[in-house]
Amino acid sequence: MSLSFARSLRTLSVSGQHARRFPYVLAWSSAPSSARFQSSFPTTGAPLADIDPSRLEVSPTPSPKPLPASSTLKFGHTFTDHMLTIPWDVKSGWGAPQIKPYGPFALDPSSTVLHYAQTIFEGMKAYKDADGKIRIFRPDMNMKRMNTSASRIALPTFNGAALLELIKDLVRLDQQWIPTEPGHSLYIRPSLIGTQKAIGVGPPNEALLFVIMSPVGPYYPDGFKPVALYGTTEFVRAAPGGTGAFKLGVNYAPGILPQQHAAKQGYAQNLWLHGPEHYITEVGTMNVFVVFRKDDGGYELVTPPLDGMILPGVTRDSVLTLAREHASSKNTITGLPANLTVSERPVTMKEVKEASDSGKIVELFGAGTAAIISPVDRIGYLGDDIHIPTGEGGMGPISRAVWTELVGRQTGIIPSDWSVVV
Amino acid sequence: MSLSFARSLRTLSVSGQHARRFPYVLAWSSAPSSARFQSSFPTTGAPLADIDPSRLEVSPTPSPKPLPASSTLKFGHTFTDHMLTIPWDVKSGWGAPQIKPYGPFALDPSSTVLHYAQTIFEGMKAYKDADGKIRIFRPDMNMKRMNTSASRIALPTFNGAALLELIKDLVRLDQQWIPTEPGHSLYIRPSLIGTQKAIGVGPPNEALLFVIMSPVGPYYPDGFKPVALYGTTEFVRAAPGGTGAFKLGVNYAPGILPQQHAAKQGYAQNLWLHGPEHYITEVGTMNVFVVFRKDDGGYELVTPPLDGMILPGVTRDSVLTLAREHASSKNTITGLPANLTVSERPVTMKEVKEASDSGKIVELFGAGTAAIISPVDRIGYLGDDIHIPTGEGGMGPISRAVWTELVGRQTGIIPSDWSVVV
């Protein structure tokens, strides 16, 4: 443990059970080896340094900000007192992590990220349970995906378990920022950007990993509100051989204009389609699920397969896992029908439209970290509107049962090893 | 003219003919109206301010950097003493332009550009001719394209002629940075980034336009060196309905990993293909041209059409225009054959391979601002290498004639209204 970190520990607002992970290095050394990722950069001579939590330096803010009233929170507009930064350079690897007051970065105007969009990010949520314990939902999935994203865009990879330990430190330090009202949480945003001070297109010789946190309210404060989608045939989100399967910044800014086009026509978001068959792929910035009623009276829960164009969402994986455990009777989920089939398979707009016409569509919804489940009631497609049932309270029967289980596990009401206590 | 600008003029190192454009406002008011672009954002109440050169504030550096020896220049690694910045916000529009010492930006960690890749850029070159006049090549094309790019990614648009006037001011101030050796120039990099301090995905409420400049040497200091391309079937650069036709940052970082893959197999860059027919689209970060020998003994110069996936390159347009003027006898280019056909049409890898096998391919080259013309001698494709002739001195006959004319016009040796004197 570095001197600066040991010194700063005295100022950390961690106590009781939240401090039990210390001493730091011991906890870190027990990290699972599966969370270890190799750098994609060739090393010459001594191996490059990986992220090392024992080198953490903490500089607490001298002037904490007043906590906002939970009722005033707007997604991603308010940030906590501190942030985590970890520099990287091609010669020495990952430098000393720092937790310091939230504030601006000094970035050279030639920084790679500002010209060539070399940025990746993750989104996670921390909850405070009834016992005051802090819980993060499946963070190992985010650490793994962040490394996959980094590799795709020639940014340095890192030890995911080490970053997670540092994120836990940051969450503990700012834990008073976690709102405790139902549906509220602390949104955690890790990002990694290329900061090379040169405008050639290539792997950067410098990068910066940082984590900021924002207290957020429920996505639907007044109950679930189904949204209308525009099945766009003008724009695409991803393509085979592209970057759709990775959580890169480049997948997001290009979607803003199509969203504005959809909004002008009275739709909240785009339903992204692929190919002449108009396969459904994603909705807005979420994965998509659809439930069909089968001829035998059973239900089929379907999401498009991970074919290289679909983001491997943590919520997507959680919905699939819960539904499959229920379908195989491994773990019954209250509210889910007994006769449930779970499929990862392509779905065309033709199939969605025909199922709507014949009354065989049960529901269609988006799934993602921010909204968790987002029900859909209408799809504009080739000039017509396709009606989608939404059920009581604006939410279909399958998604409601899955959502209840998911939120229960996220908030600690339902015990689950998906919920990691900080 | 603002007081601060008038005051700063006294410190500007412009004199003689380079200062003749002053007074500023008069020159500005003569800007062509065709260069005027409307903001894509709806205005309520008073119209938003556009970029206004009369509001320019100049803060010259107190400590100019030593000029680098031209022989040491590496593309995009050295920057001049000053930069131009113009802030924008959704309430008031474009703020006062500033020319100030080159230095880091203070960017909030939540800035849109750092998470969602909201960035666009341009690349232009300034030359100093034998009379000491400064020349920029077809900058109106860059201003127009920058606005098109901004609209695609929900960034604010602006008066392109106004930005160009400010860029000229910047170039004049740093004119001692323009290297005068043959093939050298001052690379000008305008960028526009979203700087909203919130991590929602949407049009930003703040943005920053900035211009930095870098003295650069010739792309091929030892004469033309043909490169080998890898015809990639694993990765794509663009797709229909995507962003390939716009100069967005998002088109660049995803190409780095594929370039590394190509390099591992012994190729310098990727030849980007599209669809099951493997249409050729672009090469690396350049447009692509191919020359076929026709059955009647004539030549066909071909480049893929602007179908929504191809960047409308300034060099691409210049090559096409020169070749067409020659073909129509409007303006004969020395070295180009009389029997020349110019086509914008799709070209498949099958056609390229068959033309190579039958000896009917004359040459294939990339075209872009950085390298101007980049000859190709080999294409790796589906496990085989396709041979491409390159002619004397590593450059084919058509591209050499076009390159000679282009460079002549860029540097002022050949009179042309494409060359704008600063």
Coordinates of all heavy atoms in Angstrom, one line a residue, chain A residues 231 233 271-282 288-292 300 302-305 307 344-357 361 364 379 381-382 386 388:
Chain A
G231 N -39.5 2.4 -37.0 CA -38.7 1.4 -37.7 C -38.0 2.0 -38.9 O -38.6 2.1 -40.0
T233 N -35.8 2.9 -42.0 CA -35.2 2.3 -43.2 C -34.2 3.3 -43.8 O -33.7 2.9 -44.8 CB -36.3 1.9 -44.2 OG1 -37.1 3.1 -44.5 CG2 -37.2 0.8 -43.7
L271 N -36.3 2.1 -34.0 CA -36.1 0.6 -34.0 C -35.1 0.4 -35.2 O -35.5 0.7 -36.3 CB -37.4 -0.1 -34.2 CG -37.3 -1.6 -34.3 CD1 -36.7 -2.3 -33.1 CD2 -38.7 -2.2 -34.6
W272 N -33.9 0.0 -34.8 CA -32.9 -0.2 -35.8 C -33.1 -1.5 -36.6 O -33.1 -2.5 -36.0 CB -31.5 -0.1 -35.2 CG -31.2 1.1 -34.4 CD1 -31.2 1.2 -33.1 CD2 -30.8 2.4 -35.0 NE1 -30.8 2.5 -32.7 CE2 -30.6 3.3 -33.9 CE3 -30.7 2.9 -36.3 CZ2 -30.3 4.6 -34.0 CZ3 -30.4 4.2 -36.4 CH2 -30.1 5.1 -35.3
L273 N -33.1 -1.4 -37.9 CA -33.3 -2.6 -38.7 C -32.1 -2.9 -39.5 O -31.2 -2.1 -39.7 CB -34.5 -2.3 -39.7 CG -35.8 -1.8 -39.0 CD1 -36.8 -1.5 -40.1 CD2 -36.3 -2.8 -38.0
H274 N -32.0 -4.2 -40.0 CA -30.8 -4.6 -40.8 C -31.2 -5.3 -42.0 O -32.1 -6.2 -42.0 CB -29.9 -5.4 -40.0 CG -28.8 -6.0 -40.8 ND1 -27.8 -5.2 -41.4 CD2 -28.5 -7.3 -41.2 CE1 -27.0 -5.9 -42.1 NE2 -27.4 -7.2 -42.1
G275 N -30.6 -5.0 -43.1 CA -30.8 -5.7 -44.4 C -32.1 -5.6 -45.1 O -33.0 -5.0 -44.5
P276 N -32.2 -6.1 -46.3 CA -33.5 -6.0 -47.0 C -34.6 -6.7 -46.3 O -35.8 -6.4 -46.5 CB -33.1 -6.7 -48.4 CG -31.8 -7.4 -48.2 CD -31.1 -6.8 -47.1
E277 N -34.3 -7.7 -45.4 CA -35.3 -8.4 -44.7 C -35.9 -7.5 -43.5 O -36.8 -7.9 -42.9 CB -34.8 -9.7 -44.2 CG -34.3 -10.7 -45.2 CD -32.8 -10.4 -45.6 OE1 -32.2 -9.4 -45.0 OE2 -32.2 -11.1 -46.3
H278 N -35.2 -6.4 -43.2 CA -35.5 -5.6 -42.1 C -35.6 -6.4 -40.8 O -36.6 -6.4 -40.1 CB -36.9 -4.9 -42.3 CG -36.8 -3.8 -43.4 ND1 -37.9 -3.3 -44.0 CD2 -35.7 -3.3 -44.0 CE1 -37.5 -2.4 -45.0 NE2 -36.2 -2.4 -45.0
Y279 N -34.5 -7.0 -40.5 CA -34.3 -7.7 -39.2 C -34.3 -6.6 -38.1 O -33.7 -5.6 -38.3 CB -33.0 -8.5 -39.1 CG -32.9 -9.7 -40.0 CD1 -32.1 -9.7 -41.1 CD2 -33.7 -10.8 -39.7 CE1 -32.1 -10.8 -42.0 CE2 -33.7 -11.9 -40.5 CZ -32.9 -11.9 -41.6 OH -32.8 -13.1 -42.4
I280 N -35.0 -6.9 -37.0 CA -34.9 -5.9 -35.9 C -33.6 -6.2 -35.1 O -33.2 -7.4 -35.0 CB -36.1 -6.0 -34.9 CG1 -36.2 -7.4 -34.2 CG2 -37.4 -5.8 -35.7 CD1 -37.3 -7.4 -33.1
T281 N -32.9 -5.1 -34.7 CA -31.6 -5.3 -34.1 C -31.5 -4.7 -32.7 O -31.3 -5.4 -31.7 CB -30.5 -4.8 -34.9 OG1 -30.6 -3.3 -35.1 CG2 -30.4 -5.4 -36.3
E282 N -31.8 -3.4 -32.6 CA -31.8 -2.8 -31.3 C -32.9 -1.7 -31.3 O -33.4 -1.3 -32.4 CB -30.4 -2.2 -30.9 CG -29.3 -3.2 -30.8 CD -28.1 -2.7 -30.0 OE1 -28.2 -1.7 -29.3 OE2 -27.1 -3.4 -30.1
V288 N -33.3 -5.3 -27.7 CA -34.7 -5.4 -28.0 C -35.2 -6.9 -27.7 O -34.4 -7.8 -28.0 CB -35.1 -4.9 -29.4 CG1 -34.5 -5.8 -30.5 CG2 -36.7 -4.9 -29.5
F289 N -36.3 -7.0 -27.1 CA -37.0 -8.3 -26.9 C -38.4 -8.3 -27.4 O -39.0 -7.2 -27.4 CB -37.0 -8.7 -25.4 CG -35.7 -9.1 -24.8 CD1 -34.8 -8.2 -24.4 CD2 -35.4 -10.5 -24.7 CE1 -33.6 -8.6 -23.8 CE2 -34.2 -10.9 -24.1 CZ -33.3 -9.9 -23.7
V290 N -38.9 -9.4 -27.9 CA -40.3 -9.5 -28.4 C -40.8 -10.8 -27.9 O -40.1 -11.8 -27.8 CB -40.4 -9.3 -29.9 CG1 -39.5 -10.3 -30.7 CG2 -41.8 -9.5 -30.4
V291 N -42.1 -10.8 -27.5 CA -42.7 -12.1 -27.0 C -43.9 -12.4 -28.0 O -44.7 -11.6 -28.2 CB -43.3 -11.9 -25.6 CG1 -44.0 -13.2 -25.1 CG2 -42.2 -11.4 -24.6
F292 N -43.8 -13.7 -28.5 CA -44.9 -14.2 -29.4 C -45.7 -15.2 -28.6 O -45.2 -16.0 -27.8 CB -44.2 -14.8 -30.6 CG -43.5 -13.9 -31.5 CD1 -42.1 -14.0 -31.6 CD2 -44.1 -12.9 -32.3 CE1 -41.4 -13.1 -32.4 CE2 -43.4 -12.1 -33.1 CZ -42.0 -12.2 -33.2
E300 N -43.1 -17.5 -26.6 CA -41.7 -17.4 -27.0 C -41.1 -16.0 -26.8 O -41.6 -15.0 -27.3 CB -41.5 -17.8 -28.5 CG -40.0 -17.9 -28.9 CD -39.8 -18.0 -30.4 OE1 -40.7 -17.7 -31.2 OE2 -38.7 -18.3 -30.8
V302 N -38.0 -13.7 -27.5 CA -37.0 -13.7 -28.5 C -36.2 -12.4 -28.4 O -36.7 -11.3 -28.2 CB -37.6 -13.8 -29.9 CG1 -36.5 -14.0 -31.0 CG2 -38.7 -14.8 -30.0
T303 N -34.9 -12.6 -28.6 CA -34.0 -11.4 -28.8 C -33.0 -11.7 -30.0 O -32.7 -12.9 -30.1 CB -33.3 -11.0 -27.6 OG1 -32.7 -9.6 -27.7 CG2 -32.1 -11.9 -27.2
P304 N -32.6 -10.7 -30.8 CA -31.7 -11.0 -31.9 C -30.4 -11.6 -31.3 O -29.9 -11.3 -30.2 CB -31.5 -9.7 -32.5 CG -32.6 -8.9 -32.1 CD -33.0 -9.3 -30.8
P305 N -29.8 -12.5 -32.1 CA -28.5 -13.2 -31.6 C -27.3 -12.2 -31.7 O -27.3 -11.2 -32.4 CB -28.3 -14.3 -32.6 CG -29.0 -13.8 -33.9 CD -30.2 -13.0 -33.4
D307 N -24.7 -11.4 -33.3 CA -24.1 -11.7 -34.6 C -23.0 -10.8 -35.0 O -22.6 -10.7 -36.2 CB -25.3 -11.7 -35.6 CG -26.0 -10.4 -35.7 OD1 -25.5 -9.4 -34.9 OD2 -26.9 -10.2 -36.4
E344 N -32.6 -16.9 -29.0 CA -31.8 -15.9 -29.6 C -31.8 -16.3 -31.1 O -31.2 -17.2 -31.5 CB -30.4 -15.9 -29.1 CG -30.2 -15.4 -27.7 CD -28.8 -15.5 -27.2 OE1 -28.0 -14.6 -27.5 OE2 -28.5 -16.5 -26.5
R345 N -32.6 -15.5 -31.8 CA -32.8 -15.8 -33.3 C -33.2 -14.5 -34.0 O -33.7 -13.6 -33.4 CB -33.8 -16.9 -33.5 CG -35.3 -16.5 -33.1 CD -36.3 -17.5 -33.7 NE -37.6 -17.2 -33.3 CZ -38.4 -16.4 -33.9 NH1 -38.0 -15.7 -35.0 NH2 -39.7 -16.2 -33.5
P346 N -32.9 -14.5 -35.3 CA -33.3 -13.3 -36.1 C -34.8 -13.1 -36.1 O -35.5 -14.1 -36.2 CB -32.7 -13.6 -37.5 CG -31.7 -14.6 -37.3 CD -32.2 -15.4 -36.1
V347 N -35.3 -11.9 -36.1 CA -36.7 -11.6 -36.2 C -36.9 -10.5 -37.3 O -36.2 -9.5 -37.2 CB -37.3 -11.1 -34.9 CG1 -38.8 -10.7 -35.0 CG2 -37.2 -12.1 -33.8
T348 N -37.7 -10.7 -38.2 CA -37.9 -9.7 -39.3 C -39.1 -8.8 -38.9 O -40.0 -9.2 -38.1 CB -38.2 -10.3 -40.7 OG1 -39.4 -11.1 -40.6 CG2 -37.1 -11.2 -41.1
M349 N -39.2 -7.7 -39.5 CA -40.4 -6.8 -39.3 C -41.6 -7.5 -39.9 O -42.7 -7.3 -39.3 CB -40.2 -5.5 -40.0 CG -39.3 -4.5 -39.2 SD -40.0 -4.2 -37.5 CE -41.5 -3.4 -37.9
K350 N -41.5 -8.3 -40.9 CA -42.6 -9.1 -41.5 C -43.2 -9.9 -40.4 O -44.4 -10.0 -40.2 CB -42.1 -9.9 -42.6 CG -43.2 -10.7 -43.4 CD -42.6 -11.1 -44.7 CE -43.6 -11.9 -45.5 NZ -43.7 -13.4 -45.1
E351 N -42.3 -10.6 -39.6 CA -42.8 -11.5 -38.5 C -43.6 -10.7 -37.5 O -44.6 -11.1 -37.0 CB -41.7 -12.3 -37.9 CG -42.2 -13.3 -36.9 CD -41.0 -14.1 -36.3 OE1 -39.8 -13.9 -36.7 OE2 -41.3 -15.0 -35.5
V352 N -43.0 -9.5 -37.1 CA -43.6 -8.7 -36.1 C -45.0 -8.2 -36.6 O -45.9 -8.2 -35.8 CB -42.7 -7.5 -35.7 CG1 -43.4 -6.5 -34.9 CG2 -41.4 -8.0 -35.1
K353 N -45.0 -7.8 -37.8 CA -46.3 -7.2 -38.3 C -47.3 -8.3 -38.4 O -48.5 -8.1 -38.0 CB -46.0 -6.6 -39.7 CG -47.2 -5.9 -40.3 CD -46.9 -5.0 -41.5 CE -48.2 -4.6 -42.2 NZ -49.3 -4.3 -41.4
E354 N -47.0 -9.5 -38.9 CA -47.9 -10.6 -39.0 C -48.4 -11.0 -37.7 O -49.6 -11.3 -37.5 CB -47.3 -11.7 -39.8 CG -47.2 -11.4 -41.3 CD -46.5 -12.5 -42.1 OE1 -46.1 -13.5 -41.5 OE2 -46.4 -12.4 -43.3
A355 N -47.5 -11.0 -36.7 CA -47.9 -11.4 -35.3 C -48.8 -10.4 -34.7 O -49.8 -10.7 -34.0 CB -46.7 -11.6 -34.5
S356 N -48.6 -9.1 -35.1 CA -49.5 -8.1 -34.6 C -50.9 -8.2 -35.2 O -51.9 -8.2 -34.5 CB -48.9 -6.7 -34.9 OG -49.8 -5.7 -34.6
D357 N -50.9 -8.4 -36.5 CA -52.2 -8.6 -37.3 C -53.0 -9.7 -36.8 O -54.2 -9.7 -36.7 CB -51.9 -8.7 -38.8 CG -51.4 -7.4 -39.4 OD1 -51.5 -6.4 -38.7 OD2 -50.8 -7.5 -40.5
I361 N -48.8 -11.3 -31.1 CA -47.7 -10.6 -30.4 C -48.1 -10.3 -29.0 O -49.3 -9.8 -28.8 CB -47.2 -9.4 -31.2 CG1 -45.8 -9.0 -30.7 CG2 -48.1 -8.2 -31.1 CD1 -45.0 -8.1 -31.7
L364 N -43.4 -6.2 -26.7 CA -42.1 -5.9 -27.3 C -41.5 -4.8 -26.4 O -42.1 -3.9 -26.0 CB -42.2 -5.4 -28.7 CG -41.0 -5.2 -29.6 CD1 -41.3 -5.5 -31.0 CD2 -40.4 -3.9 -29.4
I379 N -45.2 0.7 -33.4 CA -44.0 0.8 -34.3 C -44.4 1.4 -35.6 O -45.3 0.8 -36.3 CB -43.3 -0.6 -34.5 CG1 -42.9 -1.2 -33.2 CG2 -42.1 -0.4 -35.5 CD1 -42.4 -2.7 -33.4
Y381 N -43.9 1.8 -39.4 CA -43.1 1.0 -40.3 C -43.6 1.2 -41.7 O -44.8 0.8 -41.9 CB -43.1 -0.4 -39.9 CG -42.3 -1.4 -40.8 CD1 -41.0 -1.2 -41.0 CD2 -43.0 -2.4 -41.4 CE1 -40.3 -2.1 -41.9 CE2 -42.3 -3.3 -42.3 CZ -41.0 -3.1 -42.5 OH -40.3 -4.0 -43.3
L382 N -42.8 1.7 -42.6 CA -43.2 1.8 -44.0 C -44.6 2.5 -44.2 O -45.4 2.2 -45.0 CB -43.2 0.5 -44.7 CG -41.9 -0.3 -44.7 CD1 -42.1 -1.6 -45.5 CD2 -40.8 0.5 -45.3
I386 N -47.8 -0.3 -36.5 CA -48.0 -1.6 -36.0 C -48.3 -1.5 -34.5 O -47.6 -0.9 -33.7 CB -46.8 -2.5 -36.2 CG1 -46.5 -2.6 -37.7 CG2 -47.0 -3.9 -35.6 CD1 -45.2 -3.3 -38.0
I388 N -48.7 -2.8 -30.7 CA -48.1 -3.7 -29.8 C -48.8 -3.6 -28.5 O -49.0 -2.6 -27.9 CB -46.6 -3.4 -29.5 CG1 -45.8 -3.2 -30.8 CG2 -46.0 -4.5 -28.6 CD1 -45.5 -4.4 -31.6

